[in-house]
Amino acid sequence: MIQKLLGFDKQTMRIRTEVIAGITTFLTMSYILAVNPSILGTTGMDKGAVFTATALASAIATLLLAFMAKLPFAQAPSMALNAFFAFTLVQGMGYSWQTAMTAMFVEGVIFILITFLNIREIILNSIPMNLRYAISAGIGMFIAFIGLKNAGIIESNPVTYVMFGAFTPSSVLAMVGILLSGILIVKKVKGALFYSILICTLIGIPLGVTEIPEGFLPVSMPHSMEPTFCKFDFSEFFTLDMAVVIFTLLFMNIFDTVGTLVGLASKTGIMGEDGHIPHVKEAMMSDAIGTTIGAMMGSSTITTYVESASGIAEGGRSGFTSLITGLMFILALFFAPLFLLIPSAATSGALVLVGVFMMDSISKIDMEDMSEALPAFITIIMMVLTYSIADGMVLGLLCYVLVKLFCGKHKDISITMYILAALFILKFIFA
């Protein structure tokens, strides 16, 4: 029954491994439970309601993925799109959060429609193999960069843009986590990344990084979603500006999700030689449904999380991993104070090691053919420098089309790639 429902193969998989993988994935992405309410709260939304909506929407989307797609991936509100919601739509363009949430809801409904019509799968299947390997490597570097940045090991600099950060308790804890994760993996300790996160969280207590609030209780009842549930406002919806907003949301989410799915599928070994990913339509449908339900609850757009790679690195290979992650999000509703103790620095080691694991796909890229190597390089480096999986993918795909076209290799370009390139150019012109 487990094999039928979740794709668990008892001949090659172990329950304990899948459980540890699911918990590890949750721990590395649990920061969203603290960050999403903080970001959306700047718009005037009730933070307690947003916390509940974030946890429930993440749980529903991830559980749907577990049973529909049977893949070891997890889903939660996109860090790019929650910032777009709060800082662009509400604070920048002046929409109320109710109107902005309406745009998120409509985007989710459109997402369900285009997924049902296989449009997203057509886009995914049009991506050349060398770019798929580059996407996986780029996501690895992106994940590692997130881990280094969150801990303060890498900081911003007005002259050089980035620089090595100062030695602080947070950065020192992260460095310990990176070394500890590496040592545990070399020693082949099962659940290495999971144990690294827990140990670093404990070490963070005397360092002052893991903050235990006064009167701390690990258990609490979930906050009500009433302040944000179905609070839609269509009064400003039927405008040209709102049409552009919805197109931008669709564009960002499509390529963020597609890029992440390609990268994660490459690491699980389920991607065929022709680039086919089993159950990819179901995976896309689960995030489309999650986005729609999440908007109804009061959460921003759902997407597949790159942090799923931490669970994959622990050996997660089936929907059982995502089942555990989804259940952890439900538990988080009642143990929110406990889960929110985990500092981002404690997860840095896991994120950096995941980056190391995902870099091996670089060896599969054809570096002898510059028309393949250059777009692959652009994809990888721009994911990091633009801090966006979607932008890295877009620039890499656009580079691929233009280089192939001007080098007389137009037969390497599919009709879908031509259409995408035209849309990319229009986006850059009118964005």
Side-chain angles (χ1 to χ4, degrees):
M1 184 178 292
I2 295 176
Q3 182 172 5
K4 184 177 180 181
L5 292 176
L6 299 167
F8 179 84
D9 184 355
K10 65 180 181 179
Q11 302 299 324
T12 59
M13 302 173 187
R14 297 290 179 270
I15 292 288
R16 180 177 181 274
T17 300
E18 298 284 318
V19 170
I20 289 177
I23 295 173
T24 301
T25 294
F26 173 79
L27 289 176
T28 56
M29 63 187 290
S30 60
Y31 65 85
I32 192 63
L33 293 172
V35 175
N36 204 46
S38 176
I39 291 176
L40 299 193
T42 63
T43 67
M45 298 180 72
D46 182 88
K47 289 185 178 181
V50 174
F51 178 92
T52 302
T54 300
L56 271 181
S58 301
I60 291 170
T62 302
L63 291 173
L64 282 173
L65 189 145
F67 290 103
M68 292 171 62
K70 302 173 177 58
L71 296 172
F73 308 156
Q75 298 182 325
S78 166
M79 280 296 291
L81 288 168
N82 59 12
F84 181 79
F85 174 94
F87 305 127
T88 300
L89 295 186
V90 178
Q91 298 179 26
M93 300 179 71
Y95 290 113
S96 66
W97 68 261
Q98 291 89 343
T99 301
M101 196 58 71
T102 305
M104 294 281 182
F105 174 74
V106 173
E107 179 223 356
V109 173
I110 296 173
F111 243 41
I112 293 174
L113 179 62
I114 65 175
T115 303
F116 180 77
L117 296 174
N118 292 329
I119 294 174
R120 294 172 77 184
E121 192 169 357
I122 291 170
I123 293 172
L124 174 60
N125 292 333
S126 71
I127 301 173
M129 286 304 299
N130 278 307
L131 284 186
R132 295 187 186 210
Y133 296 135
I135 289 167
S136 180
I139 289 175
M141 292 185 68
F142 180 67
I143 291 173
F145 184 72
I146 289 174
L148 296 172
K149 179 191 75 70
N150 287 349
I153 296 175
I154 298 297
E155 294 181 343
S156 62
N157 183 292
V159 178
T160 61
Y161 294 100
V162 291
M163 60 179 283
F164 183 64
F167 284 97
T168 64
S170 180
S171 64
V172 169
L173 179 63
M175 292 176 191
V176 170
I178 293 168
L179 292 173
L180 180 61
S181 298
I183 292 168
L184 292 177
I185 288 171
V186 170
K187 289 184 172 292
K188 302 186 185 303
V189 175
K190 269 292 181 184
L193 300 182
F194 170 65
Y195 291 128
S196 172
I197 293 170
L198 290 184
I199 292 170
C200 286
T201 299
L202 293 174
I203 294 173
I205 295 174
L207 289 177
V209 180
T210 303
E211 299 179 358
I212 302 178
E214 189 176 344
F216 172 76
L217 291 174
V219 182
S220 67
M221 289 301 293
H223 293 276
S224 170
M225 289 189 297
E226 194 279 330
T228 59
F229 188 77
C230 287
K231 302 295 184 181
F232 299 130
D233 181 3
F234 287 90
S235 62
E236 300 179 72
F237 185 76
F238 299 101
T239 63
L240 180 60
D241 282 347
M242 187 54 70
V244 173
V245 165
I246 292 174
F247 173 79
T248 303
L249 286 170
L250 280 170
F251 181 87
M252 292 173 68
N253 203 0
I254 285 174
F255 288 96
D256 197 27
T257 303
V258 166
T260 305
L261 285 174
V262 169
L264 296 177
S266 175
K267 288 310 298 175
T268 57
I270 63 171
M271 188 165 67
E273 293 183 4
D274 60 351
H276 175 70
I277 300 173
H279 304 296
V280 70
K281 181 178 180 180
E282 290 86 349
M284 291 177 173
M285 183 61 80
S286 66
D287 90 71
I289 295 172
T291 291
T292 307
I293 294 175
M296 293 173 66
M297 293 178 175
S299 177
S300 51
T301 300
I302 301 293
T303 190
T304 304
Y305 257 56
V306 292
E307 285 83 355
S308 304
S310 62
I312 293 170
E314 287 292 354
R317 291 295 180 271
S318 74
F320 202 99
T321 294
S322 46
L323 170 67
I324 297 300
T325 304
L327 292 177
M328 291 294 287
F329 272 113
I330 293 175
L331 276 176
L333 288 168
F334 302 94
F335 292 89
L338 188 62
F339 286 120
L340 293 177
L341 283 181
I342 300 171
S344 60
T347 66
S348 294
L351 296 178
V352 170
L353 266 294
V354 166
V356 176
F357 292 139
M358 298 190 74
M359 284 297 291
D360 66 352
S361 61
I362 283 184
S363 62
K364 302 174 185 177
I365 299 173
D366 182 6
M367 300 301 292
E368 299 297 323
D369 184 350
M370 187 54 66
S371 68
E372 297 283 344
L374 177 60
F377 175 77
I378 293 297
T379 300
I380 293 170
I381 196 169
M382 294 310 289
M383 277 191 188
V384 180
L385 297 183
T386 63
Y387 204 74
S388 168
I389 294 172
D391 286 344
M393 273 193 65
V394 166
L395 293 168
L397 289 170
L398 191 55
C399 178
Y400 182 90
V401 171
L402 293 175
V403 170
K404 291 287 187 180
L405 188 62
F406 286 107
C407 289
K409 298 184 177 183
H410 57 275
K411 291 183 179 179
D412 293 345
I413 310 171
S414 66
I415 296 297
T416 304
M417 290 286 282
Y418 278 119
I419 295 171
L420 289 175
L423 291 174
F424 297 157
I425 294 170
L426 288 174
K427 175 187 178 293
F428 288 126
I429 291 174
F430 295 106

